Amino acid sequence: PEATPESVAASAAAARAAQPAWAATPLAQRIEVMQRFRAALEAPAEITVRVVGEAEGRTLNHDFRKQDHATNVLTFDYQRAPVVVADLVLCAPVIEREAGEQRKPLDAHYAHLLVHGALHAQGWDHERTTDAKKMEAREVELLAALGYPNPYRP
């Protein structure tokens, strides 16, 4: 189905009903998230960021991408102009697992995925090789400005 704010919320609510609620994000972390987003935004934006568990991540990925596994980040972009409107869903267990497997600091991996998702919300894509190279270069540039290393280097 096509993603709308209502359909994403309904799908997420169904998945959340089966697991405990997540604790509220501390203010310092919310401020850090906003700084990462501002760096990646090229236009005014209204973006909701949610951190979810494995079950909810899997449900959303299945319902909207027809893939039966949780993924690190999902971007639901509803509008790109004059204001970017989107939902970003980060799956904490997947991100933590990937950071460990890739031997990256957890905050650096979150920063990368926040920037990656914010770029998707603005229309950036990595389906074709040329687009992927441009998007990766932009991510590297933005992350460097935030003090993070190139996420594509081992």
Side-chain angles (χ1 to χ4, degrees):
E2 184 174 322
T4 65
E6 295 78 17
S7 65
V8 171
S11 185
R16 270 195 315 274
Q19 64 186 17
W22 285 83
T25 304
L27 179 60
Q29 287 178 329
R30 283 183 282 179
I31 291 169
E32 207 171 312
V33 166
M34 291 307 299
Q35 290 170 337
R36 291 174 186 159
F37 263 125
R38 284 191 186 115
L41 296 173
E42 299 165 354
E46 296 174 10
I47 299 177
T48 299
V49 178
R50 292 194 53 250
V51 179
V52 302
E54 192 104 19
E56 187 172 350
R58 177 182 223 154
T59 298
L60 290 168
N61 201 23
H62 177 267
D63 290 354
F64 295 99
R65 295 181 65 228
K66 305 299 182 224
Q67 296 186 18
D68 194 25
H69 60 88
T71 188
N72 53 19
V73 61
L74 290 167
T75 302
F76 299 96
D77 60 329
Y78 310 115
Q79 175 182 307
R80 292 191 184 141
V83 175
V84 174
V85 179
D87 287 333
L88 218 68
V89 179
L90 299 168
C91 186
V94 172
I95 295 169
E96 290 168 12
R97 188 169 47 249
E98 289 176 346
E101 290 168 355
Q102 298 169 20
R103 296 191 170 128
K104 294 179 180 177
L106 186 58
D107 67 316
H109 198 40
Y110 266 104
H112 175 215
L113 295 173
L114 285 165
V115 166
H116 184 87
L119 290 177
H120 272 308
Q122 298 171 96
W124 289 77
D125 194 331
H126 50 76
E127 294 298 316
R128 295 187 324 230
T129 303
T130 56
D131 293 336
K133 287 180 181 179
K134 289 177 187 175
M135 186 170 177
E136 287 178 10
R138 183 68 175 141
E139 289 171 1
V140 169
E141 174 187 14
L142 291 168
L143 289 165
L146 292 168
Y148 290 102
N150 181 340
Y152 297 104
R153 286 201 180 130

